[in-house]
PDB file of all heavy atoms in Angstrom:
ATOM      1  N   LEU A  86      13.512  -0.380  -7.553  1.00  0.00           N
ATOM      2  CA  LEU A  86      13.074   0.918  -7.054  1.00  0.00           C
ATOM      3  C   LEU A  86      13.773   2.063  -7.773  1.00  0.00           C
ATOM      4  O   LEU A  86      14.948   1.957  -8.179  1.00  0.00           O
ATOM      5  CB  LEU A  86      13.320   1.012  -5.551  1.00  0.00           C
ATOM      6  CG  LEU A  86      12.282   0.267  -4.705  1.00  0.00           C
ATOM      7  CD1 LEU A  86      12.793  -0.003  -3.307  1.00  0.00           C
ATOM      8  CD2 LEU A  86      10.986   1.060  -4.654  1.00  0.00           C
ATOM      9  N   LYS A  87      13.033   3.153  -7.922  1.00  0.00           N
ATOM     10  CA  LYS A  87      13.529   4.344  -8.605  1.00  0.00           C
ATOM     11  C   LYS A  87      13.465   5.532  -7.643  1.00  0.00           C
ATOM     12  O   LYS A  87      12.641   5.535  -6.715  1.00  0.00           O
ATOM     13  CB  LYS A  87      12.655   4.643  -9.821  1.00  0.00           C
ATOM     14  CG  LYS A  87      12.549   3.498 -10.814  1.00  0.00           C
ATOM     15  CD  LYS A  87      11.575   3.839 -11.929  1.00  0.00           C
ATOM     16  CE  LYS A  87      11.440   2.694 -12.930  1.00  0.00           C
ATOM     17  NZ  LYS A  87      10.490   3.016 -14.027  1.00  0.00           N
ATOM     18  N   PRO A  88      14.291   6.535  -7.873  1.00  0.00           N
ATOM     19  CA  PRO A  88      14.227   7.721  -6.995  1.00  0.00           C
ATOM     20  C   PRO A  88      12.824   8.324  -6.910  1.00  0.00           C
ATOM     21  O   PRO A  88      12.437   8.847  -5.852  1.00  0.00           O
ATOM     22  CB  PRO A  88      15.210   8.687  -7.666  1.00  0.00           C
ATOM     23  CG  PRO A  88      16.221   7.788  -8.299  1.00  0.00           C
ATOM     24  CD  PRO A  88      15.423   6.612  -8.807  1.00  0.00           C
ATOM     25  N   GLU A  89      12.057   8.224  -7.980  1.00  0.00           N
ATOM     26  CA  GLU A  89      10.703   8.783  -7.954  1.00  0.00           C
ATOM     27  C   GLU A  89       9.741   7.971  -7.095  1.00  0.00           C
ATOM     28  O   GLU A  89       8.591   8.388  -6.883  1.00  0.00           O
ATOM     29  CB  GLU A  89      10.145   8.927  -9.375  1.00  0.00           C
ATOM     30  CG  GLU A  89      10.242   7.686 -10.219  1.00  0.00           C
ATOM     31  CD  GLU A  89      11.474   7.698 -11.127  1.00  0.00           C
ATOM     32  OE1 GLU A  89      12.574   8.079 -10.665  1.00  0.00           O
ATOM     33  OE2 GLU A  89      11.313   7.298 -12.307  1.00  0.00           O
ATOM     34  N   ASP A  90      10.168   6.824  -6.593  1.00  0.00           N
ATOM     35  CA  ASP A  90       9.358   6.059  -5.646  1.00  0.00           C
ATOM     36  C   ASP A  90       9.512   6.586  -4.220  1.00  0.00           C
ATOM     37  O   ASP A  90       8.803   6.128  -3.313  1.00  0.00           O
ATOM     38  CB  ASP A  90       9.748   4.576  -5.670  1.00  0.00           C
ATOM     39  CG  ASP A  90       9.435   3.913  -6.998  1.00  0.00           C
ATOM     40  OD1 ASP A  90       8.353   4.172  -7.555  1.00  0.00           O
ATOM     41  OD2 ASP A  90      10.273   3.120  -7.463  1.00  0.00           O
ATOM     42  N   THR A  91      10.430   7.511  -4.026  1.00  0.00           N
ATOM     43  CA  THR A  91      10.637   8.083  -2.700  1.00  0.00           C
ATOM     44  C   THR A  91       9.369   8.776  -2.209  1.00  0.00           C
ATOM     45  O   THR A  91       8.806   9.619  -2.901  1.00  0.00           O
ATOM     46  CB  THR A  91      11.796   9.095  -2.735  1.00  0.00           C
ATOM     47  OG1 THR A  91      13.011   8.403  -3.018  1.00  0.00           O
ATOM     48  CG2 THR A  91      11.927   9.816  -1.403  1.00  0.00           C
ATOM     49  N   ALA A  92       8.925   8.393  -1.021  1.00  0.00           N
ATOM     50  CA  ALA A  92       7.684   8.937  -0.470  1.00  0.00           C
ATOM     51  C   ALA A  92       7.440   8.332   0.898  1.00  0.00           C
ATOM     52  O   ALA A  92       8.115   7.378   1.292  1.00  0.00           O
ATOM     53  CB  ALA A  92       6.501   8.612  -1.380  1.00  0.00           C
ATOM     54  N   VAL A  93       6.461   8.889   1.597  1.00  0.00           N
ATOM     55  CA  VAL A  93       5.912   8.205   2.762  1.00  0.00           C
ATOM     56  C   VAL A  93       4.810   7.292   2.244  1.00  0.00           C
ATOM     57  O   VAL A  93       3.921   7.738   1.513  1.00  0.00           O
ATOM     58  CB  VAL A  93       5.347   9.192   3.795  1.00  0.00           C
ATOM     59  CG1 VAL A  93       4.726   8.432   4.973  1.00  0.00           C
ATOM     60  CG2 VAL A  93       6.458  10.119   4.294  1.00  0.00           C
ATOM     61  N   TYR A  94       4.894   6.032   2.612  1.00  0.00           N
ATOM     62  CA  TYR A  94       3.926   5.041   2.164  1.00  0.00           C
ATOM     63  C   TYR A  94       2.936   4.762   3.295  1.00  0.00           C
ATOM     64  O   TYR A  94       3.344   4.471   4.428  1.00  0.00           O
ATOM     65  CB  TYR A  94       4.634   3.752   1.746  1.00  0.00           C
ATOM     66  CG  TYR A  94       5.275   3.867   0.382  1.00  0.00           C
ATOM     67  CD1 TYR A  94       6.393   4.670   0.195  1.00  0.00           C
ATOM     68  CD2 TYR A  94       4.754   3.189  -0.727  1.00  0.00           C
ATOM     69  CE1 TYR A  94       6.980   4.798  -1.055  1.00  0.00           C
ATOM     70  CE2 TYR A  94       5.335   3.316  -1.973  1.00  0.00           C
ATOM     71  CZ  TYR A  94       6.442   4.120  -2.132  1.00  0.00           C
ATOM     72  OH  TYR A  94       7.012   4.248  -3.379  1.00  0.00           O
ATOM     73  N   TYR A  95       1.671   4.855   2.957  1.00  0.00           N
ATOM     74  CA  TYR A  95       0.603   4.657   3.928  1.00  0.00           C
ATOM     75  C   TYR A  95      -0.225   3.437   3.569  1.00  0.00           C
ATOM     76  O   TYR A  95      -0.532   3.194   2.397  1.00  0.00           O
ATOM     77  CB  TYR A  95      -0.334   5.866   3.951  1.00  0.00           C
ATOM     78  CG  TYR A  95       0.316   7.157   4.364  1.00  0.00           C
ATOM     79  CD1 TYR A  95       0.867   8.019   3.420  1.00  0.00           C
ATOM     80  CD2 TYR A  95       0.364   7.527   5.706  1.00  0.00           C
ATOM     81  CE1 TYR A  95       1.460   9.209   3.810  1.00  0.00           C
ATOM     82  CE2 TYR A  95       0.943   8.721   6.092  1.00  0.00           C
ATOM     83  CZ  TYR A  95       1.497   9.560   5.141  1.00  0.00           C
ATOM     84  OH  TYR A  95       2.081  10.741   5.532  1.00  0.00           O
ATOM     85  N   CYS A  96      -0.626   2.715   4.582  1.00  0.00           N
ATOM     86  CA  CYS A  96      -1.546   1.603   4.429  1.00  0.00           C
ATOM     87  C   CYS A  96      -2.945   2.105   4.745  1.00  0.00           C
ATOM     88  O   CYS A  96      -3.130   2.920   5.669  1.00  0.00           O
ATOM     89  CB  CYS A  96      -1.143   0.498   5.404  1.00  0.00           C
ATOM     90  SG  CYS A  96      -2.216  -0.929   5.426  1.00  0.00           S
ATOM     91  N   ALA A  97      -3.921   1.632   3.987  1.00  0.00           N
ATOM     92  CA  ALA A  97      -5.298   2.025   4.210  1.00  0.00           C
ATOM     93  C   ALA A  97      -6.199   0.818   4.051  1.00  0.00           C
ATOM     94  O   ALA A  97      -5.902  -0.098   3.278  1.00  0.00           O
ATOM     95  CB  ALA A  97      -5.718   3.115   3.231  1.00  0.00           C
ATOM     96  N   ALA A  98      -7.305   0.823   4.784  1.00  0.00           N
ATOM     97  CA  ALA A  98      -8.310  -0.235   4.678  1.00  0.00           C
ATOM     98  C   ALA A  98      -9.647   0.407   4.336  1.00  0.00           C
ATOM     99  O   ALA A  98     -10.006   1.445   4.890  1.00  0.00           O
ATOM    100  CB  ALA A  98      -8.409  -0.999   5.989  1.00  0.00           C
ATOM    101  N   GLY A  99     -10.363  -0.232   3.437  1.00  0.00           N
ATOM    102  CA  GLY A  99     -11.638   0.337   3.043  1.00  0.00           C
ATOM    103  C   GLY A  99     -12.480  -0.664   2.278  1.00  0.00           C
ATOM    104  O   GLY A  99     -12.250  -1.873   2.337  1.00  0.00           O
ATOM    105  N   VAL A 100     -13.443  -0.129   1.553  1.00  0.00           N
ATOM    106  CA  VAL A 100     -14.361  -0.970   0.795  1.00  0.00           C
ATOM    107  C   VAL A 100     -14.180  -0.728  -0.692  1.00  0.00           C
ATOM    108  O   VAL A 100     -13.774   0.358  -1.115  1.00  0.00           O
ATOM    109  CB  VAL A 100     -15.817  -0.698   1.211  1.00  0.00           C
ATOM    110  CG1 VAL A 100     -16.029  -1.099   2.670  1.00  0.00           C
ATOM    111  CG2 VAL A 100     -16.191   0.756   1.004  1.00  0.00           C
ATOM    112  N   GLU A 101     -14.490  -1.760  -1.440  1.00  0.00           N
ATOM    113  CA  GLU A 101     -14.355  -1.667  -2.888  1.00  0.00           C
ATOM    114  C   GLU A 101     -15.322  -0.634  -3.435  1.00  0.00           C
ATOM    115  O   GLU A 101     -16.453  -0.508  -2.974  1.00  0.00           O
ATOM    116  CB  GLU A 101     -14.637  -3.024  -3.515  1.00  0.00           C
ATOM    117  CG  GLU A 101     -14.324  -3.101  -4.999  1.00  0.00           C
ATOM    118  CD  GLU A 101     -14.571  -4.495  -5.556  1.00  0.00           C
ATOM    119  OE1 GLU A 101     -15.359  -5.244  -4.950  1.00  0.00           O
ATOM    120  OE2 GLU A 101     -13.989  -4.832  -6.599  1.00  0.00           O
ATOM    121  N   ALA A 102     -14.859   0.116  -4.427  1.00  0.00           N
ATOM    122  CA  ALA A 102     -15.674   1.173  -5.021  1.00  0.00           C
ATOM    123  C   ALA A 102     -15.115   1.464  -6.405  1.00  0.00           C
ATOM    124  O   ALA A 102     -14.003   1.031  -6.725  1.00  0.00           O
ATOM    125  CB  ALA A 102     -15.620   2.433  -4.151  1.00  0.00           C
ATOM    126  N   PRO A 103     -15.843   2.185  -7.237  1.00  0.00           N
ATOM    127  CA  PRO A 103     -15.257   2.639  -8.506  1.00  0.00           C
ATOM    128  C   PRO A 103     -14.001   3.446  -8.222  1.00  0.00           C
ATOM    129  O   PRO A 103     -13.849   4.028  -7.133  1.00  0.00           O
ATOM    130  CB  PRO A 103     -16.362   3.504  -9.112  1.00  0.00           C
ATOM    131  CG  PRO A 103     -17.622   2.968  -8.517  1.00  0.00           C
ATOM    132  CD  PRO A 103     -17.258   2.554  -7.117  1.00  0.00           C
ATOM    133  N   ILE A 104     -13.105   3.483  -9.162  1.00  0.00           N
ATOM    134  CA  ILE A 104     -11.825   4.159  -8.954  1.00  0.00           C
ATOM    135  C   ILE A 104     -12.063   5.590  -8.493  1.00  0.00           C
ATOM    136  O   ILE A 104     -12.803   6.354  -9.106  1.00  0.00           O
ATOM    137  CB  ILE A 104     -10.974   4.116 -10.234  1.00  0.00           C
ATOM    138  CG1 ILE A 104     -10.551   2.676 -10.505  1.00  0.00           C
ATOM    139  CG2 ILE A 104      -9.736   5.002 -10.081  1.00  0.00           C
ATOM    140  CD1 ILE A 104      -9.725   2.490 -11.750  1.00  0.00           C
ATOM    141  N   GLN A 105     -11.370   5.917  -7.394  1.00  0.00           N
ATOM    142  CA  GLN A 105     -11.526   7.222  -6.754  1.00  0.00           C
ATOM    143  C   GLN A 105     -10.433   8.188  -7.207  1.00  0.00           C
ATOM    144  O   GLN A 105      -9.557   7.827  -7.992  1.00  0.00           O
ATOM    145  CB  GLN A 105     -11.481   7.048  -5.235  1.00  0.00           C
ATOM    146  CG  GLN A 105     -12.513   6.067  -4.696  1.00  0.00           C
ATOM    147  CD  GLN A 105     -13.923   6.568  -4.862  1.00  0.00           C
ATOM    148  OE1 GLN A 105     -14.302   7.602  -4.296  1.00  0.00           O
ATOM    149  NE2 GLN A 105     -14.725   5.840  -5.642  1.00  0.00           N
ATOM    150  N   SER A 106     -10.448   9.360  -6.665  1.00  0.00           N
ATOM    151  CA  SER A 106      -9.456  10.379  -7.035  1.00  0.00           C
ATOM    152  C   SER A 106      -8.041   9.941  -6.686  1.00  0.00           C
ATOM    153  O   SER A 106      -7.079  10.378  -7.302  1.00  0.00           O
ATOM    154  CB  SER A 106      -9.780  11.708  -6.348  1.00  0.00           C
ATOM    155  OG  SER A 106      -9.795  11.543  -4.948  1.00  0.00           O
ATOM    156  N   GLY A 107      -7.917   9.066  -5.693  1.00  0.00           N
ATOM    157  CA  GLY A 107      -6.582   8.578  -5.335  1.00  0.00           C
ATOM    158  C   GLY A 107      -6.031   7.554  -6.313  1.00  0.00           C
ATOM    159  O   GLY A 107      -4.876   7.165  -6.243  1.00  0.00           O
ATOM    160  N   GLY A 108      -6.888   7.118  -7.241  1.00  0.00           N
ATOM    161  CA  GLY A 108      -6.431   6.218  -8.287  1.00  0.00           C
ATOM    162  C   GLY A 108      -6.606   4.741  -8.012  1.00  0.00           C
ATOM    163  O   GLY A 108      -6.133   3.902  -8.782  1.00  0.00           O
ATOM    164  N   LEU A 109      -7.295   4.431  -6.911  1.00  0.00           N
ATOM    165  CA  LEU A 109      -7.524   3.028  -6.570  1.00  0.00           C
ATOM    166  C   LEU A 109      -9.021   2.758  -6.446  1.00  0.00           C
ATOM    167  O   LEU A 109      -9.778   3.664  -6.081  1.00  0.00           O
ATOM    168  CB  LEU A 109      -6.826   2.664  -5.262  1.00  0.00           C
ATOM    169  CG  LEU A 109      -5.309   2.723  -5.261  1.00  0.00           C
ATOM    170  CD1 LEU A 109      -4.770   2.345  -3.888  1.00  0.00           C
ATOM    171  CD2 LEU A 109      -4.723   1.815  -6.324  1.00  0.00           C
ATOM    172  N   PRO A 110      -9.422   1.512  -6.702  1.00  0.00           N
ATOM    173  CA  PRO A 110     -10.851   1.172  -6.661  1.00  0.00           C
ATOM    174  C   PRO A 110     -11.340   0.883  -5.249  1.00  0.00           C
ATOM    175  O   PRO A 110     -11.763  -0.233  -4.922  1.00  0.00           O
ATOM    176  CB  PRO A 110     -10.929  -0.077  -7.536  1.00  0.00           C
ATOM    177  CG  PRO A 110      -9.599  -0.727  -7.345  1.00  0.00           C
ATOM    178  CD  PRO A 110      -8.612   0.374  -7.207  1.00  0.00           C
TER     179      PRO A 110
END
Side-chain angles (χ1 to χ4, degrees):
L86 282 161
K87 303 175 181 180
E89 51 263 43
D90 295 318
T91 294
V93 178
Y94 283 70
Y95 298 92
C96 177
V100 295
E101 189 178 23
I104 292 179
Q105 304 293 297
S106 59
L109 295 180

